Amino acid sequence: MKPFIVLIPGMMCNKDVFSYQINALKKIFNVIVEEFNEHRDIELGVKDLASTLPNQFHLLGHSMGGIVAMEFVKQHSERVLSLVLLNTNPYEEKQEIKDRRNIILKELDALDLITLMRSDYISRYFPDDCRDKNKLIQQCVDMASKLDKKVFYNQSVALRDRKDQTSILENVDCKTLIICGERDQLCPVSYHSDMNKMIKSSDLIVLEGVGHMPIIECPLILNNHLKNFYLK
């Protein structure tokens, strides 16, 4: 029987964001995509999700999904066979971002969700000179369109109130791969360099010229790195 792998997407993304990875990884894994849509607390949400997942599995999280993955390692390290962290952030939310998030949440009922996603989030996912940028932006818009303001609210509160996770990383003892985009505006390379120093046994790969979404911006390159990691 093939081992399980759990993929956790980022904010306002669904299983579609991992379509390239699913096609590549399903040859060696039973693939599960776990969306973190219903919870407003990272810690409590992971407690709920834990009961729905296999006893042991490989774990990959992108952006907010990486934050959830780190919390899962904190609560259930014995169940995680390996860890991949993509374009994520181990720190608590900065005060200026909290303040901006609180303003948006207060005004959310009156806002158009897709316009908000485009202006405050998706516009920052890709470098200006990214190939097929408009097509990639539309992919992100399409995913957000399949979700709703309740999911946006839940995820925003969970991110706003999250705890610093650096102490978790210092205790990670499974094989770990950290990947980021050189031009990620949301989760810069420095965060990933810090994580690589904190984890005892990890490798860091920085994708040249890539932004926040390598899973769709350069999927073939990313998939090769993932395959090398899982098969070595």
Side-chain angles (χ1 to χ4, degrees):
M1 182 177 175
K2 291 186 287 189
F4 290 95
I5 186 168
V6 176
L7 313 180
I8 309 177
M11 184 176 180
M12 295 302 285
C13 292
N14 59 19
K15 61 181 175 58
D16 296 344
V17 79
F18 287 125
S19 58
Y20 292 106
Q21 287 70 49
I22 292 170
N23 284 335
L25 295 174
K26 68 183 181 182
K27 297 168 187 173
I28 51 177
F29 293 111
N30 288 309
V31 181
I32 299 170
V33 178
E34 193 66 61
E35 298 176 18
F36 197 86
N37 296 343
E38 305 300 322
H39 301 89
R40 297 180 184 179
D41 183 284
I42 300 289
E43 187 174 347
L44 294 178
V46 167
K47 286 180 180 177
D48 284 346
L49 293 178
S51 63
T52 69
L53 296 174
N55 287 333
Q56 288 193 311
F57 51 86
H58 300 265
L59 182 58
L60 181 154
H62 172 256
S63 195
M64 180 182 182
I67 295 169
V68 174
M70 285 184 266
E71 178 62 31
F72 204 101
V73 171
K74 176 187 174 184
Q75 295 185 26
H76 301 281
S77 61
E78 75 286 352
R79 296 173 61 182
V80 179
L81 300 172
S82 72
L83 177 65
V84 176
L85 298 172
L86 302 174
N87 303 78
T88 192
N89 182 346
Y91 301 111
E92 66 181 349
E93 188 147 271
K94 294 178 180 177
Q95 189 58 50
E96 61 266 28
I97 300 177
K98 282 187 182 182
D99 293 343
R100 170 63 180 159
R101 206 183 287 279
N102 285 332
I103 291 170
I104 290 172
L105 292 177
K106 280 185 181 180
E107 300 174 351
L108 186 58
D109 285 345
L111 297 174
D112 178 78
L113 182 60
I114 299 307
T115 301
L116 172 63
M117 285 300 302
R118 278 184 176 274
S119 63
D120 280 43
Y121 297 88
I122 298 171
S123 63
R124 301 167 64 200
Y125 287 173
F126 307 101
D128 289 339
D129 58 355
C130 171
R131 182 180 178 185
D132 297 326
K133 182 175 180 178
N134 290 337
K135 179 182 174 183
L136 295 172
I137 286 174
Q138 189 59 48
Q139 281 183 248
C140 295
V141 168
D142 290 345
M143 284 187 287
S145 299
K146 294 178 182 178
L147 302 171
D148 57 26
K149 287 185 178 181
K150 181 182 177 182
V151 173
F152 180 90
Y153 188 94
N154 291 344
Q155 293 180 339
S156 296
V157 171
L159 287 170
R160 182 195 67 192
D161 297 341
R162 71 184 187 268
K163 298 174 183 176
D164 181 278
Q165 294 178 302
T166 54
S167 62
I168 298 171
L169 297 178
E170 292 167 359
N171 294 312
V172 171
D173 57 8
C174 64
K175 183 172 77 166
T176 302
L177 177 63
I178 301 165
I179 301 180
C180 64
E182 177 197 22
R183 296 169 67 183
D184 189 335
Q185 297 181 49
L186 302 179
C187 300
V189 173
S190 60
Y191 292 178
H192 301 80
S193 298
D194 291 347
M195 289 189 285
N196 190 45
K197 292 173 185 174
M198 294 171 200
I199 299 173
K200 298 183 189 79
S201 178
S202 63
D203 293 320
L204 171 63
I205 295 172
V206 179
L207 301 172
E208 185 177 352
V210 175
H212 187 63
M213 301 288 285
I215 40 183
I216 59 175
E217 185 181 344
C218 59
L220 297 181
I221 293 172
L222 176 62
N223 287 353
N224 282 335
H225 287 304
L226 293 177
K227 282 191 243 183
N228 289 338
F229 172 71
Y230 289 122
L231 295 176
K232 74 178 181 181

mmCIF file of all heavy atoms in Angstrom, residues 19-56:
data_model
loop_
_atom_site.group_PDB
_atom_site.id
_atom_site.type_symbol
_atom_site.label_atom_id
_atom_site.label_comp_id
_atom_site.label_asym_id
_atom_site.label_seq_id
_atom_site.Cartn_x
_atom_site.Cartn_y
_atom_site.Cartn_z
ATOM 1 N N SER A 19 -3.087 20.927 -8.209
ATOM 2 C CA SER A 19 -3.396 19.979 -9.290
ATOM 3 C C SER A 19 -2.128 19.399 -9.921
ATOM 4 O O SER A 19 -2.055 18.191 -10.200
ATOM 5 C CB SER A 19 -4.260 20.658 -10.360
ATOM 6 O OG SER A 19 -3.604 21.794 -10.894
ATOM 7 N N TYR A 20 -1.100 20.225 -10.120
ATOM 8 C CA TYR A 20 0.148 19.728 -10.700
ATOM 9 C C TYR A 20 0.847 18.764 -9.745
ATOM 10 O O TYR A 20 1.401 17.738 -10.168
ATOM 11 C CB TYR A 20 1.096 20.888 -11.018
ATOM 12 C CG TYR A 20 0.644 21.795 -12.134
ATOM 13 C CD1 TYR A 20 0.152 23.069 -11.862
ATOM 14 C CD2 TYR A 20 0.719 21.393 -13.468
ATOM 15 C CE1 TYR A 20 -0.253 23.922 -12.872
ATOM 16 C CE2 TYR A 20 0.319 22.242 -14.490
ATOM 17 C CZ TYR A 20 -0.171 23.498 -14.187
ATOM 18 O OH TYR A 20 -0.579 24.332 -15.194
ATOM 19 N N GLN A 21 0.840 19.100 -8.462
ATOM 20 C CA GLN A 21 1.509 18.247 -7.482
ATOM 21 C C GLN A 21 0.761 16.926 -7.296
ATOM 22 O O GLN A 21 1.390 15.871 -7.153
ATOM 23 C CB GLN A 21 1.627 18.977 -6.145
ATOM 24 C CG GLN A 21 2.649 20.092 -6.130
ATOM 25 C CD GLN A 21 2.235 21.298 -6.963
ATOM 26 O OE1 GLN A 21 1.115 21.789 -6.822
ATOM 27 N NE2 GLN A 21 3.128 21.771 -7.823
ATOM 28 N N ILE A 22 -0.552 16.990 -7.308
ATOM 29 C CA ILE A 22 -1.344 15.758 -7.161
ATOM 30 C C ILE A 22 -1.028 14.787 -8.292
ATOM 31 O O ILE A 22 -0.812 13.592 -8.066
ATOM 32 C CB ILE A 22 -2.852 16.085 -7.114
ATOM 33 C CG1 ILE A 22 -3.182 16.832 -5.815
ATOM 34 C CG2 ILE A 22 -3.690 14.810 -7.223
ATOM 35 C CD1 ILE A 22 -4.577 17.410 -5.777
ATOM 36 N N ASN A 23 -0.980 15.312 -9.506
ATOM 37 C CA ASN A 23 -0.689 14.442 -10.662
ATOM 38 C C ASN A 23 0.689 13.803 -10.562
ATOM 39 O O ASN A 23 0.882 12.649 -10.964
ATOM 40 C CB ASN A 23 -0.795 15.243 -11.964
ATOM 41 C CG ASN A 23 -2.232 15.498 -12.361
ATOM 42 O OD1 ASN A 23 -3.127 14.740 -11.988
ATOM 43 N ND2 ASN A 23 -2.464 16.572 -13.099
ATOM 44 N N ALA A 24 1.650 14.535 -10.012
ATOM 45 C CA ALA A 24 3.013 13.993 -9.892
ATOM 46 C C ALA A 24 3.139 13.052 -8.706
ATOM 47 O O ALA A 24 3.789 12.006 -8.802
ATOM 48 C CB ALA A 24 4.010 15.150 -9.757
ATOM 49 N N LEU A 25 2.507 13.394 -7.591
ATOM 50 C CA LEU A 25 2.715 12.645 -6.359
ATOM 51 C C LEU A 25 1.828 11.412 -6.234
ATOM 52 O O LEU A 25 2.147 10.491 -5.467
ATOM 53 C CB LEU A 25 2.477 13.571 -5.150
ATOM 54 C CG LEU A 25 3.464 14.732 -4.993
ATOM 55 C CD1 LEU A 25 3.022 15.643 -3.858
ATOM 56 C CD2 LEU A 25 4.874 14.220 -4.758
ATOM 57 N N LYS A 26 0.738 11.369 -6.993
ATOM 58 C CA LYS A 26 -0.172 10.233 -6.847
ATOM 59 C C LYS A 26 0.448 8.918 -7.319
ATOM 60 O O LYS A 26 -0.066 7.846 -6.991
ATOM 61 C CB LYS A 26 -1.481 10.496 -7.593
ATOM 62 C CG LYS A 26 -1.352 10.546 -9.104
ATOM 63 C CD LYS A 26 -2.699 10.894 -9.743
ATOM 64 C CE LYS A 26 -2.607 10.932 -11.252
ATOM 65 N NZ LYS A 26 -3.897 11.319 -11.884
ATOM 66 N N LYS A 27 1.565 9.009 -8.036
ATOM 67 C CA LYS A 27 2.260 7.793 -8.468
ATOM 68 C C LYS A 27 2.956 7.105 -7.297
ATOM 69 O O LYS A 27 3.193 5.893 -7.339
ATOM 70 C CB LYS A 27 3.287 8.144 -9.552
ATOM 71 C CG LYS A 27 2.645 8.714 -10.819
ATOM 72 C CD LYS A 27 3.692 9.323 -11.730
ATOM 73 C CE LYS A 27 3.030 10.038 -12.900
ATOM 74 N NZ LYS A 27 4.011 10.779 -13.727
ATOM 75 N N ILE A 28 3.289 7.887 -6.261
ATOM 76 C CA ILE A 28 4.015 7.291 -5.134
ATOM 77 C C ILE A 28 3.268 7.420 -3.808
ATOM 78 O O ILE A 28 3.661 6.801 -2.817
ATOM 79 C CB ILE A 28 5.430 7.902 -4.990
ATOM 80 C CG1 ILE A 28 5.384 9.433 -4.982
ATOM 81 C CG2 ILE A 28 6.338 7.429 -6.099
ATOM 82 C CD1 ILE A 28 6.741 10.093 -4.782
ATOM 83 N N PHE A 29 2.188 8.205 -3.782
ATOM 84 C CA PHE A 29 1.443 8.424 -2.545
ATOM 85 C C PHE A 29 -0.066 8.288 -2.755
ATOM 86 O O PHE A 29 -0.564 8.495 -3.869
ATOM 87 C CB PHE A 29 1.683 9.847 -2.017
ATOM 88 C CG PHE A 29 3.069 10.125 -1.541
ATOM 89 C CD1 PHE A 29 3.895 10.992 -2.240
ATOM 90 C CD2 PHE A 29 3.556 9.551 -0.376
ATOM 91 C CE1 PHE A 29 5.174 11.284 -1.791
ATOM 92 C CE2 PHE A 29 4.837 9.832 0.080
ATOM 93 C CZ PHE A 29 5.646 10.689 -0.630
ATOM 94 N N ASN A 30 -0.760 7.991 -1.692
ATOM 95 C CA ASN A 30 -2.191 8.274 -1.605
ATOM 96 C C ASN A 30 -2.316 9.728 -1.151
ATOM 97 O O ASN A 30 -1.903 10.076 -0.040
ATOM 98 C CB ASN A 30 -2.869 7.351 -0.589
ATOM 99 C CG ASN A 30 -2.982 5.933 -1.101
ATOM 100 O OD1 ASN A 30 -3.464 5.689 -2.199
ATOM 101 N ND2 ASN A 30 -2.522 4.978 -0.302
ATOM 102 N N VAL A 31 -2.860 10.572 -2.018
ATOM 103 C CA VAL A 31 -2.853 12.015 -1.774
ATOM 104 C C VAL A 31 -4.159 12.465 -1.115
ATOM 105 O O VAL A 31 -5.256 12.152 -1.593
ATOM 106 C CB VAL A 31 -2.641 12.796 -3.085
ATOM 107 C CG1 VAL A 31 -2.623 14.299 -2.810
ATOM 108 C CG2 VAL A 31 -1.341 12.370 -3.765
ATOM 109 N N ILE A 32 -4.014 13.219 -0.026
ATOM 110 C CA ILE A 32 -5.143 13.839 0.662
ATOM 111 C C ILE A 32 -4.910 15.342 0.673
ATOM 112 O O ILE A 32 -3.830 15.809 1.036
ATOM 113 C CB ILE A 32 -5.255 13.338 2.121
ATOM 114 C CG1 ILE A 32 -5.480 11.831 2.169
ATOM 115 C CG2 ILE A 32 -6.366 14.070 2.866
ATOM 116 C CD1 ILE A 32 -5.350 11.237 3.565
ATOM 117 N N VAL A 33 -5.931 16.115 0.260
ATOM 118 C CA VAL A 33 -5.860 17.571 0.378
ATOM 119 C C VAL A 33 -6.786 17.995 1.510
ATOM 120 O O VAL A 33 -7.980 17.685 1.491
ATOM 121 C CB VAL A 33 -6.244 18.283 -0.932
ATOM 122 C CG1 VAL A 33 -6.208 19.790 -0.744
ATOM 123 C CG2 VAL A 33 -5.307 17.868 -2.069
ATOM 124 N N GLU A 34 -6.233 18.684 2.494
ATOM 125 C CA GLU A 34 -6.999 19.096 3.673
ATOM 126 C C GLU A 34 -7.104 20.613 3.688
ATOM 127 O O GLU A 34 -6.123 21.311 3.942
ATOM 128 C CB GLU A 34 -6.305 18.591 4.940
ATOM 129 C CG GLU A 34 -7.131 18.686 6.187
ATOM 130 C CD GLU A 34 -8.350 17.770 6.169
ATOM 131 O OE1 GLU A 34 -8.188 16.542 6.075
ATOM 132 O OE2 GLU A 34 -9.472 18.316 6.248
ATOM 133 N N GLU A 35 -8.288 21.126 3.390
ATOM 134 C CA GLU A 35 -8.493 22.577 3.391
ATOM 135 C C GLU A 35 -8.840 23.052 4.798
ATOM 136 O O GLU A 35 -9.645 22.435 5.493
ATOM 137 C CB GLU A 35 -9.600 22.951 2.405
ATOM 138 C CG GLU A 35 -9.261 22.587 0.958
ATOM 139 C CD GLU A 35 -10.396 22.863 -0.018
ATOM 140 O OE1 GLU A 35 -11.314 23.638 0.341
ATOM 141 O OE2 GLU A 35 -10.371 22.306 -1.130
ATOM 142 N N PHE A 36 -8.237 24.150 5.199
ATOM 143 C CA PHE A 36 -8.448 24.693 6.543
ATOM 144 C C PHE A 36 -9.428 25.861 6.433
ATOM 145 O O PHE A 36 -9.034 27.026 6.512
ATOM 146 C CB PHE A 36 -7.099 25.134 7.136
ATOM 147 C CG PHE A 36 -7.103 25.328 8.625
ATOM 148 C CD1 PHE A 36 -6.876 24.262 9.475
ATOM 149 C CD2 PHE A 36 -7.314 26.586 9.176
ATOM 150 C CE1 PHE A 36 -6.860 24.427 10.853
ATOM 151 C CE2 PHE A 36 -7.304 26.769 10.547
ATOM 152 C CZ PHE A 36 -7.084 25.694 11.385
ATOM 153 N N ASN A 37 -10.701 25.547 6.273
ATOM 154 C CA ASN A 37 -11.708 26.566 5.955
ATOM 155 C C ASN A 37 -12.667 26.883 7.097
ATOM 156 O O ASN A 37 -13.251 27.974 7.118
ATOM 157 C CB ASN A 37 -12.549 26.124 4.753
ATOM 158 C CG ASN A 37 -11.736 25.990 3.486
ATOM 159 O OD1 ASN A 37 -10.620 26.510 3.408
ATOM 160 N ND2 ASN A 37 -12.273 25.300 2.491
ATOM 161 N N GLU A 38 -12.840 25.953 8.007
ATOM 162 C CA GLU A 38 -13.933 26.067 8.974
ATOM 163 C C GLU A 38 -13.493 26.540 10.350
ATOM 164 O O GLU A 38 -14.328 26.712 11.238
ATOM 165 C CB GLU A 38 -14.629 24.698 9.122
ATOM 166 C CG GLU A 38 -15.120 24.101 7.812
ATOM 167 C CD GLU A 38 -16.128 25.000 7.111
ATOM 168 O OE1 GLU A 38 -16.957 25.617 7.820
ATOM 169 O OE2 GLU A 38 -16.088 25.099 5.877
ATOM 170 N N HIS A 39 -12.209 26.765 10.554
ATOM 171 C CA HIS A 39 -11.702 27.053 11.895
ATOM 172 C C HIS A 39 -11.121 28.462 11.990
ATOM 173 O O HIS A 39 -10.484 28.941 11.059
ATOM 174 C CB HIS A 39 -10.635 26.030 12.285
ATOM 175 C CG HIS A 39 -11.137 24.619 12.285
ATOM 176 N ND1 HIS A 39 -11.093 23.816 11.164
ATOM 177 C CD2 HIS A 39 -11.714 23.876 13.265
ATOM 178 C CE1 HIS A 39 -11.611 22.631 11.460
ATOM 179 N NE2 HIS A 39 -11.994 22.645 12.721
ATOM 180 N N ARG A 40 -11.324 29.082 13.151
ATOM 181 C CA ARG A 40 -10.789 30.419 13.406
ATOM 182 C C ARG A 40 -9.600 30.380 14.364
ATOM 183 O O ARG A 40 -9.137 31.424 14.808
ATOM 184 C CB ARG A 40 -11.888 31.320 13.990
ATOM 185 C CG ARG A 40 -13.040 31.530 13.028
ATOM 186 C CD ARG A 40 -14.115 32.415 13.627
ATOM 187 N NE ARG A 40 -15.250 32.510 12.718
ATOM 188 C CZ ARG A 40 -16.359 33.197 12.968
ATOM 189 N NH1 ARG A 40 -16.467 33.857 14.123
ATOM 190 N NH2 ARG A 40 -17.350 33.215 12.104
ATOM 191 N N ASP A 41 -9.148 29.187 14.681
ATOM 192 C CA ASP A 41 -8.027 29.015 15.605
ATOM 193 C C ASP A 41 -7.142 27.886 15.073
ATOM 194 O O ASP A 41 -7.633 26.776 14.866
ATOM 195 C CB ASP A 41 -8.561 28.678 17.002
ATOM 196 C CG ASP A 41 -7.459 28.554 18.035
ATOM 197 O OD1 ASP A 41 -6.758 27.515 18.022
ATOM 198 O OD2 ASP A 41 -7.291 29.472 18.857
ATOM 199 N N ILE A 42 -5.871 28.177 14.840
ATOM 200 C CA ILE A 42 -4.964 27.180 14.263
ATOM 201 C C ILE A 42 -4.857 25.963 15.176
ATOM 202 O O ILE A 42 -4.985 24.811 14.733
ATOM 203 C CB ILE A 42 -3.560 27.786 14.033
ATOM 204 C CG1 ILE A 42 -3.613 28.985 13.073
ATOM 205 C CG2 ILE A 42 -2.599 26.706 13.503
ATOM 206 C CD1 ILE A 42 -3.882 28.677 11.642
ATOM 207 N N GLU A 43 -4.632 26.193 16.445
ATOM 208 C CA GLU A 43 -4.404 25.097 17.391
ATOM 209 C C GLU A 43 -5.636 24.199 17.514
ATOM 210 O O GLU A 43 -5.541 22.964 17.416
ATOM 211 C CB GLU A 43 -4.029 25.674 18.752
ATOM 212 C CG GLU A 43 -3.607 24.638 19.772
ATOM 213 C CD GLU A 43 -3.101 25.257 21.062
ATOM 214 O OE1 GLU A 43 -2.847 26.483 21.088
ATOM 215 O OE2 GLU A 43 -2.970 24.512 22.047
ATOM 216 N N LEU A 44 -6.809 24.807 17.710
ATOM 217 C CA LEU A 44 -8.035 24.015 17.860
ATOM 218 C C LEU A 44 -8.415 23.346 16.541
ATOM 219 O O LEU A 44 -8.916 22.215 16.530
ATOM 220 C CB LEU A 44 -9.176 24.911 18.348
ATOM 221 C CG LEU A 44 -9.010 25.495 19.754
ATOM 222 C CD1 LEU A 44 -10.185 26.403 20.105
ATOM 223 C CD2 LEU A 44 -8.861 24.387 20.790
ATOM 224 N N GLY A 45 -8.170 24.030 15.441
ATOM 225 C CA GLY A 45 -8.474 23.446 14.138
ATOM 226 C C GLY A 45 -7.671 22.194 13.868
ATOM 227 O O GLY A 45 -8.185 21.195 13.356
ATOM 228 N N VAL A 46 -6.387 22.227 14.224
ATOM 229 C CA VAL A 46 -5.533 21.044 14.034
ATOM 230 C C VAL A 46 -6.008 19.900 14.917
ATOM 231 O O VAL A 46 -6.003 18.733 14.497
ATOM 232 C CB VAL A 46 -4.056 21.397 14.306
ATOM 233 C CG1 VAL A 46 -3.204 20.141 14.439
ATOM 234 C CG2 VAL A 46 -3.521 22.280 13.173
ATOM 235 N N LYS A 47 -6.447 20.199 16.124
ATOM 236 C CA LYS A 47 -6.983 19.154 17.002
ATOM 237 C C LYS A 47 -8.169 18.461 16.348
ATOM 238 O O LYS A 47 -8.329 17.234 16.431
ATOM 239 C CB LYS A 47 -7.382 19.741 18.353
ATOM 240 C CG LYS A 47 -6.206 20.086 19.239
ATOM 241 C CD LYS A 47 -6.651 20.665 20.575
ATOM 242 C CE LYS A 47 -5.447 20.997 21.439
ATOM 243 N NZ LYS A 47 -5.830 21.633 22.732
ATOM 244 N N ASP A 48 -9.033 19.234 15.693
ATOM 245 C CA ASP A 48 -10.186 18.650 15.001
ATOM 246 C C ASP A 48 -9.757 17.829 13.792
ATOM 247 O O ASP A 48 -10.254 16.726 13.559
ATOM 248 C CB ASP A 48 -11.150 19.753 14.554
ATOM 249 C CG ASP A 48 -11.968 20.313 15.706
ATOM 250 O OD1 ASP A 48 -11.984 19.692 16.785
ATOM 251 O OD2 ASP A 48 -12.587 21.378 15.532
ATOM 252 N N LEU A 49 -8.839 18.371 13.008
ATOM 253 C CA LEU A 49 -8.417 17.697 11.778
ATOM 254 C C LEU A 49 -7.678 16.395 12.060
ATOM 255 O O LEU A 49 -7.745 15.449 11.265
ATOM 256 C CB LEU A 49 -7.519 18.618 10.950
ATOM 257 C CG LEU A 49 -8.156 19.866 10.348
ATOM 258 C CD1 LEU A 49 -7.106 20.683 9.614
ATOM 259 C CD2 LEU A 49 -9.301 19.499 9.416
ATOM 260 N N ALA A 50 -6.974 16.348 13.166
ATOM 261 C CA ALA A 50 -6.121 15.189 13.466
ATOM 262 C C ALA A 50 -6.897 13.881 13.442
ATOM 263 O O ALA A 50 -6.385 12.848 13.001
ATOM 264 C CB ALA A 50 -5.440 15.382 14.817
ATOM 265 N N SER A 51 -8.130 13.918 13.906
ATOM 266 C CA SER A 51 -8.924 12.688 13.992
ATOM 267 C C SER A 51 -9.391 12.186 12.636
ATOM 268 O O SER A 51 -9.834 11.038 12.509
ATOM 269 C CB SER A 51 -10.131 12.911 14.904
ATOM 270 O OG SER A 51 -10.983 13.905 14.351
ATOM 271 N N THR A 52 -9.298 13.027 11.617
ATOM 272 C CA THR A 52 -9.782 12.650 10.285
ATOM 273 C C THR A 52 -8.669 12.119 9.385
ATOM 274 O O THR A 52 -8.944 11.668 8.273
ATOM 275 C CB THR A 52 -10.440 13.848 9.583
ATOM 276 O OG1 THR A 52 -9.430 14.830 9.256
ATOM 277 C CG2 THR A 52 -11.490 14.496 10.471
ATOM 278 N N LEU A 53 -7.420 12.179 9.852
ATOM 279 C CA LEU A 53 -6.277 11.832 9.009
ATOM 280 C C LEU A 53 -5.697 10.471 9.387
ATOM 281 O O LEU A 53 -5.928 9.978 10.497
ATOM 282 C CB LEU A 53 -5.202 12.917 9.138
ATOM 283 C CG LEU A 53 -5.616 14.307 8.640
ATOM 284 C CD1 LEU A 53 -4.527 15.325 8.942
ATOM 285 C CD2 LEU A 53 -5.938 14.280 7.148
ATOM 286 N N PRO A 54 -4.919 9.855 8.488
ATOM 287 C CA PRO A 54 -4.301 8.553 8.786
ATOM 288 C C PRO A 54 -3.359 8.640 9.989
ATOM 289 O O PRO A 54 -2.968 9.727 10.415
ATOM 290 C CB PRO A 54 -3.524 8.230 7.502
ATOM 291 C CG PRO A 54 -4.112 9.100 6.449
ATOM 292 C CD PRO A 54 -4.603 10.338 7.125
ATOM 293 N N ASN A 55 -2.985 7.487 10.493
ATOM 294 C CA ASN A 55 -2.106 7.453 11.660
ATOM 295 C C ASN A 55 -0.743 8.071 11.383
ATOM 296 O O ASN A 55 -0.167 8.739 12.237
ATOM 297 C CB ASN A 55 -1.922 6.010 12.144
ATOM 298 C CG ASN A 55 -3.163 5.481 12.829
ATOM 299 O OD1 ASN A 55 -3.946 6.253 13.382
ATOM 300 N ND2 ASN A 55 -3.363 4.175 12.789
ATOM 301 N N GLN A 56 -0.219 7.828 10.182
ATOM 302 C CA GLN A 56 1.053 8.424 9.794
ATOM 303 C C GLN A 56 0.983 8.885 8.343
ATOM 304 O O GLN A 56 0.312 8.254 7.517
ATOM 305 C CB GLN A 56 2.204 7.436 9.967
ATOM 306 C CG GLN A 56 2.578 7.173 11.419
ATOM 307 C CD GLN A 56 3.904 6.455 11.543
ATOM 308 O OE1 GLN A 56 4.148 5.456 10.873
ATOM 309 N NE2 GLN A 56 4.783 6.964 12.395
#
